[in-house]
Amino acid sequence: ESHALPTKELEPTTAGYRTLNTNAEKRAQECPSAPMPDISHLNSVDYQNVYEPSDDTYLLLDGMSVEFDTLPVLDVMDLDVTG
């Protein structure tokens, strides 16, 4: 699956959007970045079976690092993975 990269002409132009976007960019710059995972051990064959880290991966890591202390602890033995 692929998604087109956003372009300036596709961005909403409302004042509310600009305010939210400006605030989000400011908060993102103020947050420390999470350490990036080491993927040097992967080879080209691995990428056929593993999702290559991208911007969304790093955004998830940053978000989780900010909220880490408030995330619930799950006991994996209690998870129902049968659907």
Side-chain angles (χ1 to χ4, degrees):
E1 180 178 350
S2 65
H3 301 278
L5 293 174
T7 60
K8 286 292 182 189
E9 57 269 2
L10 294 177
E11 286 185 2
T13 57
T14 64
Y17 171 80
R18 284 192 301 275
T19 300
L20 286 173
N21 195 50
T22 300
N23 290 342
E25 288 177 352
K26 181 181 175 189
R27 290 184 71 189
Q29 292 170 354
E30 293 171 352
C31 292
S33 293
M36 297 300 112
D38 178 16
I39 59 171
S40 62
H41 61 283
L42 298 178
N43 60 48
S44 60
V45 175
D46 293 323
Y47 286 102
Q48 295 174 12
N49 302 311
V50 175
Y51 176 77
E52 183 176 359
S54 187
D55 294 348
D56 57 346
T57 306
Y58 302 121
L59 181 61
L60 175 64
L61 289 173
D62 285 344
M64 287 177 61
S65 69
V66 170
E67 300 292 333
F68 186 79
D69 291 334
T70 62
L71 293 174
V73 176
L74 299 176
D75 184 347
V76 294
M77 299 308 288
D78 291 336
L79 295 177
D80 179 11
V81 294
T82 60

